[in-house]
Amino acid sequence: MISWATAAPAISAAFLASLVEVVEAFTIVLAVATVQGWRPALAGTAAGLGVLGLLVLALGPVIDRVPLQGLQLVIGVLLLLFGLRWLRKAILRAAGIIALHDEDRAFASETASLAEAARLDATRRDWIAGLAAFKAVVLEGVEVVFIVIAVGAGRGLLWPAAFGAVAACALVLVIGLAVHKPLSRVPENTLKFGVGVMLSAFGVYWTGEGLGVAWPGHDLAILVLAAMFLAIGLSLVPLARRPQKIEPQEMAR
Amino acid sequence: MTLLRLIVREFVGLFVDDEKLALSILAVVGACWLLVHAIHGSAFSTGLLLVLGCVGVLIASVLQGARR
């Protein structure tokens, strides 16, 4: 029986990370549906989900065969690469060094490129639109599959992690279909900051386990590591912020 | 084929965005591995090196990104 304290970090990390990815995929699928109708959008989405299903079916038995310590080390290193990359970007975005991701702009850019294709004949238009939806679902979905495996496979938490991901998909779908426009109000950078913190904590924990480190407090060490990464991340934001240039007239005042 | 290449590129991009950050993380993990297997260091020192190394890599990468 998995305890709630063990499952909760896996569920919440998979839920938050998947939420970001599903919002991005939903934006493209919605753009396809707006320009070309729901038929190619849903066909592309269904084909993408089919490919992801095959990927999960192929990876599932392989994971069971890999020795646990080796699996923890490999997944830990991948999580470190993934988590620290997200955290670094989220800190730099929060500091205003790099631009925030804009779902409205992504939606506008996708509809513009599909409108460009609208000059072609109807069959080719459907193909291009369906392919755009397929690509978005596969590319973002691969990230969701990786997150679920990475967060869940080290300690038999695949089902709780998968539950978190499915809950994120359902939430985006329900809200997205209700508002019927890109979910631009999702505080994406805050989510990415939180996910970067959690994935980095999981990464350090699994890598340590793979190297034979006995963490004090066992699974609770993940929460301590997450608190540490959160504190460091938040204190790095003002440090990374560039000082505003002061105009000579303002200095004279 | 182009789609497959795109998926592979996107998947690699999941982990490697800033090459220096990725190499530094691998160097920290490599140093921890050496500490365990070559020097037979204690589990405590391995854990400490891993935590401090990752924190150091993050701080250096963010400050360098801010200066760029």
Side-chain angles (χ1 to χ4, degrees):
Chain A
M1 184 76 184
I2 302 164
S3 75
W4 181 242
T6 307
I11 295 174
S12 48
F15 175 79
L16 293 175
S18 304
L19 200 62
V20 175
E21 305 302 341
V22 177
V23 164
E24 289 180 13
F26 179 78
T27 302
I28 309 292
V29 172
L30 190 64
V32 169
T34 305
V35 174
Q36 200 58 31
W38 280 103
R39 208 169 64 104
L42 290 177
T45 304
L49 290 175
V51 168
L52 290 174
L54 288 176
L55 190 72
V56 171
L57 285 177
L59 282 177
V62 175
I63 287 169
D64 284 341
R65 283 189 203 148
V66 180
L68 187 62
Q69 210 168 12
L71 185 69
Q72 285 173 335
L73 184 60
V74 171
I75 283 179
V77 173
L78 290 178
L79 272 175
L80 273 180
L81 292 169
F82 191 58
L84 287 176
R85 174 184 158 252
W86 266 34
L87 186 54
R88 173 186 177 272
K89 265 194 168 173
I91 294 168
L92 291 175
R93 281 198 177 113
I97 306 291
I98 52 177
L100 292 169
H101 187 85
D102 187 345
E103 288 307 325
D104 282 331
R105 195 184 294 171
F107 181 79
S109 144
E110 191 62 36
T111 44
S113 77
L114 285 169
E116 187 84 358
R119 279 180 278 158
L120 307 167
D121 66 272
T123 321
R124 266 191 87 187
R125 268 192 331 243
D126 276 357
W127 264 104
I128 291 171
L131 201 62
F134 172 77
K135 249 173 23 183
V137 171
V138 170
L139 293 180
E140 305 302 339
V142 163
E143 297 193 34
V144 172
V145 170
F146 165 72
I147 289 161
V148 168
I149 289 172
V151 166
R155 261 245 172 123
L157 295 171
L158 270 178
W159 284 110
F163 171 75
V166 170
C169 293
L171 184 68
V172 170
L173 214 61
V174 167
I175 297 176
L177 290 179
V179 301
H180 211 268
K181 59 180 188 178
L183 304 181
S184 55
R185 289 217 181 149
V186 172
E188 197 177 331
N189 202 47
T190 311
L191 279 177
K192 282 192 168 170
F193 205 112
V195 173
V197 162
M198 295 197 79
L199 295 186
S200 302
F202 269 102
V204 171
Y205 183 82
W206 291 136
T207 306
E209 289 265 302
L211 289 167
V213 174
W215 296 105
H218 303 282
D219 291 344
L220 286 177
I222 295 173
L223 297 178
V224 177
L225 289 167
M228 182 194 72
F229 276 114
L230 180 64
I232 291 166
L234 289 175
S235 51
L236 275 173
V237 174
L239 284 176
R241 207 166 273 148
R242 285 197 187 115
Q244 299 263 321
K245 275 187 186 160
I246 303 169
E247 296 297 324
Q249 297 98 311
E250 281 181 55
M251 282 179 76
R253 270 180 221 157
Chain B
M1 208 59 202
T2 317
L3 183 66
L4 194 66
R5 207 177 301 151
L6 185 71
I7 291 170
V8 171
R9 201 192 312 148
E10 197 82 6
F11 191 70
V12 172
L14 276 180
F15 310 105
V16 184
D17 178 34
D18 179 295
E19 291 89 356
K20 218 169 172 181
L21 174 71
L23 285 174
S24 307
I25 294 167
L26 293 178
V28 169
V29 176
C32 291
W33 192 86
L34 280 177
L35 184 63
V36 172
H37 293 95
I39 310 171
H40 302 293
S42 66
F44 176 79
S45 54
T46 310
L48 195 66
L49 177 65
L50 183 64
V51 172
L52 294 181
C54 289
V55 168
V57 163
L58 176 68
I59 293 172
S61 179
V62 167
L63 295 180
Q64 199 177 38
R67 273 201 304 269
R68 249 179 237 164

